[in-house]
Amino acid sequence: MYRKFLNARSPLRLLEKGLHGGLGPGNLGIVLAGHGVGKTSFLVGVAVDELLRKGRVLHVSLSHTVAHVRAHYDTVFEELANSTHLKDEGLIHGEIDRHRSIRVYPPGELTAAKLRDAVKLESEAGAKPTLLILEGLDLTSFGKPDVEDVKALAQELGAEVWLESASSGERVVKAPAAVQQLDGLLSVILALEPGDGGVELRALKDHDNPDVSTLHVALDPRTLLLVRS
């Protein structure tokens, strides 16, 4: 089974259909969920999808260790490989590891300038990121000017950037205030919520499309991979 069939289980396939082509290069997206619902697993799934397409990923975490983040990647990849009977599993896993960088910062210590420095180091090493994952970022302290600079960086790189933010409850009634003030900078806002036998993914914002009611995706509760649509 080739890597293109692995991509079929990624929720990104349905997002691309339902969100006018997905997030898109140069854009910022954010996923909202209550604590423990699966924001990190979802973001790792986004990253694995990009890596299987031979992209380059820079995963920045302010909430987990390098070992913890790497374990998430291993879990998602192994689930994909086992469920699709992947050929050359070891070779593809090694390629994913080589094309992904993980950087960890203490809570509150990441700035847009530090992120630019990290991207510069990656690019000088011959691995300009096509996707940036920013996990554990406190949007109440990482202010709007910093997010504006991150968006500018995404546009300079032609890369997608995904962030995450915690909601106050399991159900996302509306985006937190810190996210609402960034609305003009965010192209896509997604909500992860516990559902009937899985985790439900729905869109709160889809670029400039006023109708976001059609996106309903169910994900595996352990890996956050696609179950059904």
Side-chain angles (χ1 to χ4, degrees):
M1 189 71 71
Y2 299 103
R3 68 178 73 208
K4 66 181 180 180
F5 295 105
L6 273 73
N7 287 115
R9 278 200 68 198
S10 169
L12 270 293
R13 298 294 75 72
L14 289 178
L15 289 181
E16 287 167 354
K17 293 179 181 178
L19 295 179
H20 296 77
L23 180 57
N27 292 322
L28 274 60
I30 191 165
V31 59
L32 309 175
H35 293 289
V37 175
K39 296 185 295 295
T40 298
S41 293
F42 176 81
L43 292 177
V44 167
V46 171
V48 169
D49 182 81
E50 179 70 12
L51 291 163
L52 288 169
R53 297 201 213 188
K54 298 183 180 293
R56 300 272 185 164
V57 172
L58 173 59
H59 188 125
V60 176
S61 179
L62 289 85
S63 54
H64 296 297
T65 64
V66 171
H68 188 94
V69 175
R70 186 179 291 120
H72 265 290
Y73 279 86
D74 290 344
T75 297
V76 170
F77 179 80
E78 287 166 9
E79 173 66 19
L80 273 171
N82 291 337
S83 63
T84 56
H85 307 291
L86 177 68
K87 294 179 180 178
D88 299 325
E89 176 181 345
L91 290 174
I92 295 175
H93 197 178
E95 179 182 301
I96 282 177
D97 285 343
R98 290 193 300 274
H99 290 173
R100 176 209 64 216
S101 294
I102 300 170
R103 291 180 179 268
V104 170
Y105 296 84
E109 291 197 10
L110 180 67
T111 63
K114 288 182 179 179
L115 182 61
R116 280 188 172 274
D117 288 342
V119 168
K120 181 180 179 181
L121 290 172
E122 297 294 328
S123 301
E124 289 175 347
K128 184 175 76 170
T130 57
L131 171 67
L132 277 69
I133 301 291
L134 304 183
E135 175 204 356
L137 196 62
D138 182 0
L139 293 176
T140 60
S141 59
F142 193 87
K144 189 172 183 178
D146 275 327
V147 178
E148 289 173 339
D149 197 12
V150 171
K151 186 174 179 67
L153 176 61
Q155 293 174 337
E156 292 164 20
L157 292 170
E160 296 183 351
V161 178
W162 279 98
L163 306 91
E164 50 96 11
S165 180
S167 62
S168 57
E170 287 187 337
R171 297 291 174 185
V172 182
V173 178
K174 63 179 181 178
V179 175
Q180 291 182 35
Q181 70 176 358
L182 303 175
D183 184 71
L185 300 171
L186 300 169
S187 298
V188 172
I189 302 176
L190 301 177
L192 283 177
E193 300 171 327
D196 185 14
V199 176
E200 301 292 333
L201 175 66
R202 62 185 177 91
L204 301 180
K205 181 179 181 181
D206 169 16
H207 298 276
D208 295 323
N209 177 28
D211 182 12
V212 293
S213 62
T214 57
L215 179 65
H216 294 283
V217 181
L219 307 177
D220 183 283
R222 187 171 70 90
T223 63
L224 276 292
L225 297 172
L226 184 64
V227 175
R228 66 186 186 278
S229 63

